[in-house]
Amino acid sequence: MKLKSLFAVATLAAGSSAVQAQDLNITVTNLTQAIYFTPLITAAHTADNQMFSSGSAASTELQAMAEGGDISGLSTLLSGVNADINENPAGGLLAPAMSTSFMLTNSENNDYLSLTAMILPSNDGFVGLDSWMIPEEAGTYTIYLNAYDAGTEANNELVVEGSGAPGVAGIPAAPGGDAGTGGTGVTDTEGNTMVHIHRGNLGDDNPTGGSSDLTNNVHRWLNPVAKVTVVVM
């Protein structure tokens, strides 16, 4: 009787362990008209670790990603806490209306899924998924993602060559080639220096002046900006 009980306990434990390690087939779709995503970083991690948190100050690693698309710092942090990571599945920028798919296997205890990438053109905007609990039940799950502001740089909406490094104001690029020049700047300060929902680009209709280098009928967006489909196997 005792041996039978021990066997039952061992079987339950094995089943529980199997549930915690799952194969995830993930598809990210850019829902915007003219906004690009820089290389994505996706991770399965524990509840104690986050890439970002709304209402909190951005880490230096998040700032580097949000201002210049550099995911190396986030990757180092996540590797240090034994997260399961997928980097740059699109092989570069993810263009408007395009999708990228990839596999990720979450290890035992890495029960939460997060994802982020800078959005271009913007000063410090990023698309983000923060600590979505991975379901134990197999199936297909859809999540819509908002654009966030890292709160680390004023949204001046000026395209400045060489910007993108933390602390250097300006938009590093407008991948569609449809930005203007000669803007004076929408603002040089921001009231909210915490991570928060992005207000969106304002833009203007003056390609050689005005307050913004961005175009108001091209570079504006409304949330959500991305759709994530997770197939739990």
Side-chain angles (χ1 to χ4, degrees), residues 48-144:
D48 297 328
N49 299 290
Q50 293 176 282
M51 288 196 204
F52 70 96
S53 178
S54 296
S56 299
S59 65
T60 55
E61 293 80 7
L62 185 75
Q63 179 181 8
M65 181 281 302
E67 293 187 18
D70 181 4
I71 59 176
S72 62
L74 288 174
S75 179
T76 298
L77 283 181
L78 292 163
S79 296
V81 294
N82 298 315
D84 303 298
I85 308 168
N86 183 288
E87 298 180 48
N88 195 16
L93 298 179
L94 185 63
M98 300 303 292
S99 299
T100 184
S101 297
F102 53 96
M103 294 295 299
L104 183 70
T105 299
N106 66 310
S107 305
E108 186 175 355
N109 297 323
N110 285 341
D111 298 329
Y112 293 85
L113 187 69
S114 292
L115 173 155
T116 192
M118 183 186 184
I119 55 177
L120 286 173
S122 77
N123 288 86
D124 61 342
F126 66 97
V127 57
L129 172 65
D130 176 28
S131 301
W132 180 72
M133 190 169 188
I134 300 169
E136 293 185 357
E137 184 175 351
T140 300
Y141 302 85
T142 302
I143 316 151
Y144 289 92

Side-chain angles (χ1 to χ4, degrees), residues 173-195:
D178 42 20
T181 59
T184 57
V186 171
T187 183
D188 57 7
T189 60
E190 293 294 341
N192 189 347
T193 58
M194 302 294 112
V195 175

Side-chain angles (χ1 to χ4, degrees), residues 198-222:
H198 205 294
R199 71 182 181 208
N201 290 328
L202 300 179
D204 61 34
D205 57 4
N206 187 340
T208 57
S211 61
S212 174
D213 286 340
L214 304 184
T215 306
N216 58 10
N217 63 351
V218 175
H219 297 121
R220 300 184 75 167
W221 72 78
L222 295 174

